[in-house]
Amino acid sequence: MAQRLRHVNVAVIGLGMGGAHLKGYSEHPGCTVAAICDANGERLARRGAEFKIDESRRFISVDALLAAAGDLGLNAASIVLPNTLHAPMTIKALRAGLHVLGEKPMAMNSAQARRMIAEAKKARRTLGINLSFRFTPQSRALKEIVDAGRLGRVYYAHTRWWRQRGLPGFGGWFGAKKLSGGGPMIDLGVHRMDLAMWLMGGPQPVAVSAAVYDPIGSRLAREQKRKFDVEDLGAAFVRFENGATLTLEASWAGFCGKNEDMVTEVLGDRGGIVQRNVGEGYDFEARVFTEEGGSLAETLIKRRLVPAPSPYADFIDALLEGRPTLATAEDGLKVQQVLDAVYLSAKLGKEVRIK
Ligand SMILES: NC(=O)c1ccc[n+]([C@@H]2O[C@H](COP(=O)([O-])OP(=O)(O)OC[C@H]3O[C@@H](n4cnc5c(N)ncnc54)[C@H](O)[C@@H]3O)[C@@H](O)[C@H]2O)c1
């Protein structure tokens, strides 16, 4: 376990989604945003002005930022770069002595994820992963209900994130396999499967049968002359060591009726939960189904009474308190193992075992 820090000087590297990291850190009294970095000079200047970061603390190159880590008094960094850079840049930051909050997916594959974990252990630094859907107050409330045993033995779950048309940065790195590692399964499926597996009690996945398709993405790419070589829909059936199973679906494009459709259903022998997005937005409604006094009962989760720290606040708190983050690198690896198996199973056309 890493030593407790008294205050955290954090850098944010990659300033697209990195904007959310900056906002999160700027709201936490236990840390200071001590540097930012982005290869895109215009984005760097805009974020620098937005968050009032002095020009001397803005870097266009990760290597230059890490070389100045001592002078800047840096303790930690968020790595919010395209997926292909997660492993190499995380390893560089760990070797520079920084604690790291990485983005999802943790890496391009589980071999990389394992190397990241080994480097964090060697450097005695914390490595957390922003599996952000766990962090909402409602998801935490559901987890507390599961942990209190209200569902009994959990044996099945289903989770989905479907979009009618939602190909991120179409023609850019998200749709280029060598930069992203895959399509909606690695982009959206990551969140869904992490949330489902967390609510299922964290069983170890042992086998996956999956299929991936790209009819809409590849047609649009041909028509618009853009690059796209990943799936636009993936579906998988995951088996766990304890006999439980999970059906998982993720899509960026499909004739499916809703622009954003997210649901997670978890079934136990004493109760079940359903969490789904309201309308087509990012607000969620959750219900718990149980037997009460001989009747089937339905409880709407209105609001968790205790506020839940954001992933960024949790990372800083973890460093200040000397404890692991809510979503650890080991959690990221478990998701990555399923992803590797999804793509291998889809390629081979048969169920594959996870070693
Ligand atoms: N947890 C979540 O809910 C969530 C949401 C959105 C994105 N993400 C993840 O965040 C990561 C970034 O996604 P995004 O949407 O911000 O992408 P983006 O393309 O908008 O931003 C990536 C940034 O990285 C910069 N960059 C690229 N290579 C660089 C390099 N070598 N050195 C310095 N800067 C470099 C780019 O200039 C760009 O500004 C992805 O892994 C994505 O999966 C997570």
Side-chain angles (χ1 to χ4, degrees):
M1 178 56 55
Q3 269 195 331
R4 293 166 66 149
L5 298 177
R6 295 172 64 131
H7 186 86
V8 184
N9 286 325
V10 63
V12 177
I13 301 174
L15 301 176
M17 173 64 185
H21 291 240
L22 280 172
K23 182 169 182 302
Y25 293 138
S26 63
E27 289 167 356
H28 196 298
C31 71
T32 303
V33 178
I36 55 173
C37 173
D38 199 294
N40 176 333
E42 189 266 326
R43 205 171 225 185
L44 181 68
R46 192 156 33 84
R47 291 289 194 207
E50 187 185 348
F51 288 92
K52 299 187 172 46
I53 311 290
D54 191 81
E55 283 192 27
S56 64
R57 294 176 175 274
R58 301 179 193 172
F59 293 82
I60 206 116
S61 131
V62 180
D63 287 343
L65 179 143
L66 294 178
D71 294 341
L72 295 164
L74 284 182
N75 315 107
S78 275
I79 307 278
V80 202
L81 295 168
N83 301 350
T84 186
L85 294 174
H86 289 184
M89 294 304 188
T90 297
I91 290 170
K92 277 188 183 187
L94 289 166
R95 286 184 179 169
L98 305 186
H99 302 277
V100 174
L101 177 61
E103 262 303 341
K104 62 82 202 168
M106 179 172 174
M108 298 284 275
N109 52 55
S110 50
Q112 285 188 348
R114 282 184 208 284
R115 278 202 292 281
M116 293 159 78
I117 291 174
E119 288 286 346
K121 287 214 167 86
K122 200 163 119 195
R124 298 171 66 84
R125 293 294 180 268
T126 295
L127 172 58
I129 307 297
N130 188 12
L131 295 163
S132 41
F133 279 79
R134 286 185 183 203
F135 287 84
T136 70
Q138 188 184 75
S139 295
R140 285 181 183 238
L142 291 176
K143 176 69 170 158
E144 282 158 8
I145 287 166
V146 173
D147 287 350
R150 299 286 306 283
L151 271 51
R153 188 182 65 82
V154 171
Y155 56 91
Y156 182 72
H158 164 240
T159 190
R160 171 172 81 217
W161 188 337
W162 277 1
R163 287 181 181 159
Q164 222 167 17
R165 291 292 181 278
L167 299 130
F170 193 48
W173 70 263
F174 275 97
K177 187 148 180 105
K178 72 177 198 318
L179 301 178
S180 62
M185 263 292 175
I186 203 166
D187 182 38
L188 309 179
V190 163
H191 284 305
R192 297 286 98 207
M193 83 175 86
D194 176 66
L195 181 65
M197 293 196 295
W198 186 56
L199 292 174
M200 293 172 84
Q204 180 59 38
V206 291
V208 174
S209 180
V212 297
Y213 305 88
D214 69 347
I216 299 168
S218 60
R219 173 168 61 79
L220 294 175
R222 272 195 309 279
E223 287 169 3
Q224 298 176 26
K225 299 198 175 10
R226 294 188 199 218
K227 184 157 175 46
F228 186 85
D229 64 358
V230 297
E231 81 280 6
D232 61 31
L233 181 143
F237 186 71
V238 185
R239 292 180 188 280
F240 297 94
E241 198 173 41
N242 65 358
T245 52
L246 166 70
T247 305
L248 164 73
E249 302 158 352
S251 154
W252 281 337
F255 292 95
C256 59
K258 272 175 88 174
N259 252 339
E260 298 277 3
D261 182 17
M262 292 176 251
V263 64
T264 298
E265 295 159 304
V266 182
L267 301 184
D269 59 5
R270 294 279 166 190
I273 53 181
V274 178
Q275 186 195 44
R276 62 172 77 243
N277 67 320
V278 180
E280 304 193 12
Y282 281 62
D283 285 334
F284 287 82
E285 179 188 274
R287 288 174 193 275
V288 181
F289 302 93
T290 49
E291 280 177 15
E292 306 291 341
S295 299
L296 285 176
E298 179 177 332
T299 309
L300 174 67
I301 304 299
K302 290 280 235 190
R303 188 162 63 86
R304 189 171 182 263
L305 295 172
V306 183
S310 70
Y312 323 107
D314 173 72
F315 177 56
I316 299 301
D317 289 343
L319 300 181
L320 297 176
E321 294 165 18
R323 61 157 172 87
T325 46
L326 176 67
T328 62
E330 285 72 18
D331 295 322
L333 171 62
K334 194 183 280 187
V335 169
Q336 209 78 49
Q337 288 179 305
V338 176
L339 285 168
D340 285 2
V342 163
Y343 290 121
L344 182 61
S345 167
K347 189 170 153 197
L348 300 177
K350 62 177 190 181
E351 180 170 283
V352 299
R353 305 290 299 175
I354 293 175
K355 292 184 197 80

